[in-house]
Amino acid sequence: AYFGGLVTKATGEYVLFCKNDKVIDTIKLDANNRFFAKFDSLPEGLYTFKYEPEYQYVYFDKNDSILVRINPEDFDESIVYSGRGAQKNNVLMDLYLKNERDKDVLFDYFDTDYKLFSAKIDSLNVLKQDFYSKKKKEIKWSDGFDKFARAMIDYNHFSKKEVYPIVHQMRTGHKILNDLPKDYYEHRENVNFNDTDLIGYAPFISYLNFMLNNVAMSSAHDADDLRDQSLEINIHKIKVADTLFKNETIKNSILNNIAFMYMLEDQNISNNKRFLDTYYRVSTDKSKQSEIRQMGNAIQQLTAGKRLPSVQLLDAAGKTFNSDDIVTEKTVIFFWSESLQSHLIAAHKRIQDFQKKHPDYKFIAINVDKNQQKWTKTLANFKFGTISEYRAADFEDLRKKWVINKIHRTIITDSRGNIANAFVSLFDVAFESKM
């Protein structure tokens, strides 16, 4: 078997070929940005290839030999497979992209009642099911591959159902859990929570995280202090995960996600200690425990009153600025990506509304994409008025220092440019009260 391909507009020297997050081969690009690896034997199954910082899946059946074309500037959309075994992988890629496009289509539907929301996600799911059935009949792929194709569809659909009550309440202020029909969560009965075949498969792991979050929030008690309520919810999630997941690898993956997300939400030192004590008691993943400690240290640098850690930003002309020289007054900083068009528009529209109400604030938009030309073209197309627009010169540096893991995140500074609140969702109904 072989795996190889071409990287157009290469930004790095290697492609990593991996199985279950372990590197099988580090494949160097040649002078023409091509790469090639030959394997005497390659067990059937799902693999990943990484061209930092992006990754994607590729499935190998017996005797498959696959080539892939990659453009780092438009990574997912650019991927095309060829060779023996390519057809089914192109279907898997098509399903992934359909799921990504759903995010834009559904953005406004999270504000609607559950009947309208359910009708919309069901109609999207029917389209994908029809596409899947047609391709399965044409290609006649293996049962091994079929499991991952089905999971790409089913767990994405289940995730939408789990996310809806939470997002609806966050954006409308209406707690809709009690309005849902009794059979709303019947899909949970069809889930094998300890399916070792799906360890590390993003659609499965994402669903498990969404489901846990929903279960914990449904049983949470209202509290005067929202930070205490968040602590209760996340400790409950750890306890449910400890009971529900028997497979150690799946359990650790879920626990790590809970910990990363909680550390982004709660910056109360006392609460963090109580949470982490519970996490460390249940988790057996020493490597991720170390990462979470590092994140905790970064978060401590983002507490109210401190200076925002310095990062490099670019303007539309390509000139580099230090964030210290830009953030010197009352400021709201928000983030966006060209790949999330609905969020791009909704975020700027919301900020423009805030501009009218709060002329004493400066509003800064930071694009997190890598392509300067595509960014400036997007700015020219939309005309966002007097919002100050910049792009992260090194997003990895910005992500680590400002702990940016959610596109909805905003950072608010005071009149001296020091941190007032570094962890606010732009679409929080109480956003203005935190300015």
Side-chain angles (χ1 to χ4, degrees):
Y2 63 75
F3 177 67
L6 170 69
V7 181
T8 63
K9 301 180 182 178
T11 56
E13 298 180 0
Y14 298 92
V15 173
L16 302 179
F17 188 64
C18 311
K19 175 74 171 174
N20 294 334
D21 241 9
K22 294 180 181 178
V23 177
I24 295 173
D25 202 351
T26 300
I27 315 171
K28 196 174 190 310
L29 303 189
D30 66 16
N32 297 312
N33 293 330
R34 296 182 182 277
F35 62 97
F36 188 87
K38 186 175 181 179
F39 303 95
D40 291 334
S41 63
L42 197 63
E44 295 175 25
L46 190 73
Y47 296 80
T48 56
F49 60 93
K50 297 182 180 181
Y51 190 70
E52 298 291 358
E54 306 282 2
Y55 78 95
Q56 223 5 296
Y57 296 106
V58 59
Y59 191 95
F60 276 82
D61 279 308
K62 186 178 180 180
N63 298 323
D64 279 355
S65 289
I66 297 170
L67 295 173
V68 61
R69 185 181 179 91
I70 306 166
N71 179 349
E73 292 183 355
D74 208 12
F75 186 82
D76 294 325
E77 289 79 1
S78 73
I79 289 173
V80 178
Y81 297 99
S82 58
R84 190 168 58 242
Q87 280 184 301
K88 61 179 179 287
N89 282 293
N90 283 324
V91 170
L92 196 65
M93 199 67 227
D94 283 343
L95 289 173
Y96 171 83
L97 292 174
K98 288 177 190 298
N99 288 338
E100 288 298 296
R101 287 191 286 270
D102 283 356
K103 294 176 183 178
D104 284 337
V105 172
L106 289 171
F107 190 84
D108 292 329
Y109 280 87
F110 284 101
D111 295 348
T112 64
D113 66 68
Y114 77 89
K115 289 183 180 179
L116 188 56
F117 177 81
S118 294
K120 185 61 179 178
I121 65 170
D122 287 347
S123 67
L124 291 170
N125 192 47
V126 166
L127 292 174
K128 283 195 278 285
Q129 296 284 1
D130 289 346
F131 172 79
Y132 156 86
S133 298
K134 178 184 176 184
K135 292 299 181 180
K136 182 180 180 181
K137 186 176 181 180
E138 287 177 3
I139 299 170
K140 297 181 175 61
W141 54 59
S142 66
D143 291 341
F145 174 79
D146 191 61
K147 184 168 189 175
F148 291 97
R150 288 250 29 120
M152 181 70 79
I153 299 171
D154 292 342
Y155 287 111
N156 184 271
H157 182 63
F158 297 162
S159 291
K160 294 184 181 82
K161 293 178 74 71
E162 300 287 353
V163 167
Y164 168 68
I166 300 168
V167 175
H168 183 86
Q169 182 175 343
M170 182 183 76
R171 284 169 46 172
T172 67
H174 173 55
K175 192 170 184 177
I176 202 169
L177 282 170
N178 296 330
D179 300 336
L180 299 174
K182 291 181 180 180
D183 62 351
Y184 184 79
Y185 294 113
E186 66 179 2
H187 61 271
R188 292 175 181 170
E189 298 173 9
N190 300 316
V191 176
N192 176 4
F193 294 106
N194 294 283
D195 192 332
T196 55
D197 290 339
L198 298 179
I199 289 174
Y201 193 43
F204 179 62
I205 297 299
S206 293
Y207 167 73
L208 296 181
N209 283 308
F210 291 138
M211 180 276 301
L212 265 183
N213 200 43
N214 206 355
V215 169
M217 289 189 69
S218 300
S219 59
H221 304 294
D222 290 334
D224 292 334
D225 190 327
L226 292 178
R227 291 179 303 186
D228 289 343
Q229 186 179 41
S230 176
L231 175 65
E232 178 196 341
I233 288 170
N234 282 278
I235 286 180
H236 184 56
K237 282 162 70 173
I238 287 180
K239 291 177 178 177
V240 172
D242 191 31
T243 303
L244 191 62
F245 303 110
K246 308 304 179 187
N247 181 275
E248 186 177 21
T249 304
I250 293 178
K251 181 188 291 188
N252 278 330
S253 178
I254 297 300
L255 292 173
N256 293 335
N257 186 272
I258 294 169
F260 277 120
M261 291 300 102
Y262 176 75
M263 295 298 286
L264 291 174
E265 293 169 0
D266 192 346
Q267 285 68 59
N268 180 287
I269 294 174
S270 174
N271 282 2
N272 279 354
K273 184 179 185 308
R274 288 179 58 198
F275 171 81
L276 289 174
D277 285 346
T278 307
Y279 164 73
Y280 293 140
R281 189 164 60 248
V282 176
S283 169
T284 59
D285 189 339
K286 301 300 181 184
S287 173
K288 290 299 181 183
Q289 287 180 16
S290 176
E291 279 187 46
I292 287 163
R293 284 193 182 93
Q294 291 175 14
M295 177 184 280
N297 292 335
I299 286 171
Q300 292 308 309
Q301 301 306 311
L302 297 173
T303 52
K306 289 189 176 182
R307 191 71 187 162
L308 195 60
S310 178
V311 298
Q312 297 296 303
L313 302 173
L314 296 168
D315 69 5
K319 184 178 178 182
T320 303
F321 293 85
N322 191 302
S323 60
D324 284 341
D325 299 326
I326 297 170
V327 186
T328 58
E329 57 191 290
K330 288 200 290 187
T331 305
V332 172
I333 303 168
F334 69 105
F335 305 88
W336 62 277
S337 169
E338 192 271 339
S339 63
L340 296 170
Q341 287 269 325
S342 292
H343 171 264
L344 181 168
I345 297 167
H348 280 83
K349 183 179 179 182
R350 190 158 171 79
I351 289 295
Q352 286 172 330
D353 289 340
F354 289 147
Q355 277 186 313
K356 296 172 185 175
K357 299 178 186 177
H358 304 277
D360 54 328
Y361 272 84
K362 182 178 182 178
F363 293 87
I364 294 176
I366 297 180
N367 176 265
V368 300
D369 300 321
K370 289 186 174 183
N371 190 315
Q372 178 82 3
Q373 186 177 2
K374 185 182 287 188
W375 170 57
T376 54
K377 185 178 179 181
T378 301
L379 291 179
N381 288 341
F382 282 100
K383 308 289 184 187
F384 292 127
T386 58
I387 297 172
S388 300
E389 298 280 353
Y390 296 93
R391 186 175 69 83
D394 182 349
F395 177 62
E396 274 304 300
D397 182 59
L398 181 146
R399 184 185 66 79
K400 290 177 182 177
K401 289 180 178 177
W402 291 5
V403 198
I404 302 299
N405 287 56
K406 295 181 178 180
I407 201 71
H408 294 137
R409 243 297 279 297
T410 62
I411 298 172
I412 302 172
T413 65
D414 62 21
S415 58
R416 294 177 296 174
N418 294 330
I419 297 168
N421 194 325
F423 296 88
V424 188
S425 170
L426 180 58
F427 296 97
D428 188 328
V429 291
F431 181 86
E432 288 180 274
S433 68
K434 298 173 184 180
M435 292 175 67

